[in-house]
Every structure is written in structure tokens, then in C-alpha cells.
Amino acid sequence: MGYNIAIDGPAGAGKSTIAKQVAQKKGYIYVDTGAMYRGLAVHFLKNHIRPEDTEGIIRACEDASVSIGYENGLQQIYLNGENITGMLREEAVGDMASKSSPVPEVREKLLMLQRTLAREKDVVMDGRDIGTNILPEADVKVYLTASVETRAKRRYDELTAKGTDCDMEQITADIEERDHRDMTRETAPLRQAEDAVFIDSSNMTIEEVTEAILKLCR
């Protein structure tokens, strides 16, 4: 049985960045569940499926295979054998992933792979419902968050650094909408597990958050 670290939290809280740091320092495998959902979202978009077309999403799951690999030590996401890692951070992909992830068939598609990895390997896994649903018996559970303003600023800085034109108010509105959608969805809503440690990273550095989580581990 692997040693499992589960990190949950809302969009833009820094889960992926922190999870990668923790995994690297512990020598564990980092499993980015959000990237896996984004991988399926790329498949839906490639097939011109609209977010509200639930039946189309369910059908498309049947011929989609999302897998994890590593190249030069970096995690890569493959869709039907094609490396699509470079597409995962596109806004349309993130929006599709958020709207399609509550579909039970989408979650079931990825659940087996995630649990198998956690059972066989020492992993750090981040997402929306890792500690509450996917790995309820995880050895360490963390609920990582930050203020909406902080998360919007991080996203704004990330996009502008890439030369992407963006609007701070629109980014803030998008994050607030995604928070509401993630927290109120019927299937596996975003919430803090009862035994998770709450960490607000609004005024913390990446190193400080990483160290706080490492102190919780064996």
C-alpha cells in the first residue's frame, strides 16, 4: 500500500505547484488529477462537443484514453497516445473540464487509474475531491485555499507573463463562478474533508506552504 498525500482546494489556490514541490522533496509520484480531467476536456473540444451536451460527453468517454507519463522527469498527459500537455492550460480547456467533471461517467473514467496508482505507489494527488472521495483513507489530507483576490492576481500574472491579453475583473468573476459551480455540484462537490488540515496560502510563499505540508508527513 502506497503512502498517499491528498491536497484539495479551489481553482488558483496553488495546489499543483505545491503538490509538485512536495512530491519532489519526498520522492513520490505527483498525480495531477486536474490535468487528467483537462485531458478529457481536450478530447471533448476536439470532437466539437458543447459543455452542456451531457449525452455527447458520455458518448465521447467511450473512445478516450487519458494516461500519465514522464519525460525528463516531468509529468506528461497523453490523450489516445498523443502528448497534449501543452494544451492543458488553455482557458477553453479549463472551462470545459470544470463543466464536464461533474458528469458521473467522466469521473468513473478516471477514478480507477487514480486509485490504482495510489494503491501501488507513494503519491501526492491534488484536485477538488481527493480527500473526500477519491482517496478518503489518505495518510495526509490538506485543504489549500487563498482569497479570491489572491488567486485572480496569480492567474493574471501567469497569463500576462505568457503575453496573453486578459482582464483582471473577468478573471476574478470567472474564479468566483467556478468556485460556486465546484462547491454546489451534485457529484463530489468541493469541500474540506473533516480530517484535512486547512492552509490559507494568501500570505505565504510556495516554500512556506510546502514546508507546512511536509511537517504533516511521516
Side-chain angles (χ1 to χ4, degrees):
M1 179 66 74
Y3 190 87
N4 300 165
I5 302 171
I7 302 177
D8 289 310
K15 300 184 299 298
S16 297
T17 299
I18 299 302
K20 290 174 186 176
Q21 291 277 335
V22 172
Q24 182 180 37
K25 289 183 178 294
K26 295 292 290 183
Y28 293 177
I29 292 175
Y30 166 60
V31 182
D32 183 354
T33 60
M36 296 175 73
Y37 280 105
R38 285 171 178 260
L40 275 183
V42 170
H43 180 65
F44 302 149
L45 291 171
K46 279 177 173 285
N47 284 276
H48 308 290
I49 299 171
R50 300 184 307 278
E52 62 272 14
D53 183 6
T54 302
E55 290 302 317
I57 287 172
I58 292 172
R59 287 194 301 271
C61 283
E62 297 176 2
D63 60 352
S65 175
V66 177
S67 58
I68 296 175
Y70 287 86
E71 296 179 10
N72 299 320
L74 298 177
Q75 179 181 273
Q76 308 293 316
I77 299 295
Y78 300 89
L79 171 64
N80 294 333
E82 176 190 357
N83 190 330
I84 57 166
T85 307
M87 304 173 63
L88 300 183
R89 301 304 299 177
E90 295 177 6
E91 286 296 306
V93 173
D95 187 60
M96 172 61 89
S98 179
K99 291 177 178 176
S100 62
S101 61
V103 178
E105 288 80 2
V106 171
R107 309 189 72 79
E108 189 63 31
K109 185 76 178 182
L110 300 175
L111 186 59
M112 185 177 299
L113 172 61
Q114 294 163 359
R115 285 182 172 166
T116 298
L117 274 172
R119 185 169 57 250
E120 299 177 349
K121 306 288 186 179
D122 297 330
V123 303
V124 182
M125 195 177 296
D126 71 287
R128 301 291 195 277
D129 65 336
I130 309 303
T132 55
N133 183 52
I134 296 176
L135 301 178
E137 303 301 322
D139 300 276
V140 174
K141 297 181 185 179
V142 172
Y143 187 86
L144 179 64
T145 190
S147 68
V148 171
E149 294 75 19
T150 297
R151 290 185 281 138
K153 180 63 163 57
R154 290 173 180 170
R155 184 61 176 154
Y156 177 85
D157 291 343
E158 178 184 358
L159 291 171
T160 53
K162 295 178 180 179
T164 303
D165 289 332
C166 53
D167 180 77
M168 186 69 169
E169 289 187 4
Q170 185 60 51
I171 292 174
T172 301
D174 289 345
I175 287 177
E176 289 176 335
E177 179 185 353
R178 187 169 299 182
D179 282 355
H180 177 74
R181 190 162 63 234
D182 288 343
M183 291 177 179
T184 59
R185 67 191 186 194
E186 184 176 345
T187 303
L190 169 64
R191 61 182 176 83
Q192 181 181 345
E194 292 182 2
D195 53 347
V197 176
F198 181 89
I199 298 179
D200 186 330
S201 68
S202 297
N203 298 307
M204 299 174 70
T205 65
I206 292 173
E207 291 74 19
E208 287 172 339
V209 177
T210 301
E211 286 302 316
I213 295 176
L214 288 173
K215 289 178 180 178
L216 301 173
C217 304
R218 67 181 181 190

